[in-house]
């Protein structure tokens, strides 16, 4: 059994020996083990639980009440960013630090809007993650280099997010492209003429600055338009 987290009104929950408690939400075993070892080998951090899915993680967050949830963005049962509010409701006072393989200012802005405390890229070094956990446990933001200023620009409207000009029908078309559907299948799904669908796809490509449907999906995922 992990040590019971202790807390005071002014401090983040800690183990009996004073470490910051962490719930790790990561479904890939090798990645999770590397992260756990990197965090546990410090004097002030301790992984007290690990979950492989959002559903289990919410239950564990309510049970463990960790100081920080280190949350992989892409999990078998969904995108971690929309679940941030649920984590904060399940474990009041817990802060959420999102991990992602691909990040951008648009995704960082989504994390901030959802109530997350930071976004760390998996491509970064483990020391960045360690420091990120310390920062968010102390109530500070923690974003990988270059993401915070861009996120602030997006949140304040100084830089429009990619895809902001997409119409609802174009967004629907983009989501179907992300599901792997071709123009004919999208036309059938939306109940419109094939030429109309092709026009929607062309406008999606133009607005995202993409040269192909595949590139449009890649851009949309990188920018957080698609999960």
């Amino acid at each position: 059994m992990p040590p019971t987290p202790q807390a005071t009104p002014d401090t983040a929950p800690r183990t009996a020996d004073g470490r910051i408690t962490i719930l790790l939400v990561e479904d890939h075993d090798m990645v999770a083990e590397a992260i756990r070892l990197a965090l546990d080998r410090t004097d002030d951090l301790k992984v007290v639980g690990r979950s492989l899915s959002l559903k289990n993680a919410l239950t564990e967050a309510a049970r463990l009440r960790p100081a920080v949830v280190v949350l992989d963005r892409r999990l078998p049962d969904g995108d971690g960013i929309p679940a941030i509010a649920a984590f904060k409701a399940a474990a009041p006072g817990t802060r959420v630090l999102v991990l992602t393989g691909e990040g951008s200012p648009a995704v960082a802005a989504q994390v901030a809007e959802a109530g997350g405390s930071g976004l760390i890229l998996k491509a970064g070094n483990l020391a960045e993650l360690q420091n990120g956990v310390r920062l968010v446990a102390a109530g500070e933001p923690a974003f990988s280099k270059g993401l915070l200023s861009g996120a602030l620009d997006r949140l304040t409207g100084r830089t429009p997010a990619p895809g902001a000009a997409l119409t609802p029908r174009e967004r629907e078309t983009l989501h179907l492209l992300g599901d792997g559907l071709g123009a004919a299948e999208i036309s059938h799904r939306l109940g419109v003429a094939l030429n109309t669908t092709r026009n929607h796809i062309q406008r999606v490509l133009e607005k995202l600055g993409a040269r192909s449907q595949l590139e449009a999906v890649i851009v949309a995922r990188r920018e957080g338009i698609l999960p």
Side-chain angles (χ1 to χ4, degrees), residues 149 152-160:
S149 61
L152 292 174
D153 286 343
R154 296 288 169 83
L155 291 170
T156 57
R158 289 196 292 265
T159 303

Side-chain angles (χ1 to χ4, degrees), residues 32-111:
E33 183 62 11
I35 292 173
R36 186 189 66 78
L37 289 172
L39 297 175
D40 281 353
R41 73 187 178 196
T42 64
D43 294 331
D44 59 337
L45 308 176
K46 178 64 178 178
V47 176
V48 295
R50 182 217 168 179
S51 296
L52 283 73
S53 67
L54 289 172
K55 181 178 179 180
N56 178 258
L58 288 168
T59 300
E60 287 295 276
R63 182 177 73 86
L64 295 171
R65 299 293 293 272
V68 179
V69 173
V70 174
L71 176 65
D72 186 14
R73 184 187 175 192
R74 302 192 189 282
L75 292 157
D77 54 346
D79 184 343
I81 295 176
I84 290 173
F87 278 102
K88 295 174 74 68
T94 291
R95 298 182 174 100
V96 180
L97 177 62
V98 177
L99 280 177
T100 183
E102 292 184 332
S104 68
V107 175
Q110 287 183 16
V111 170

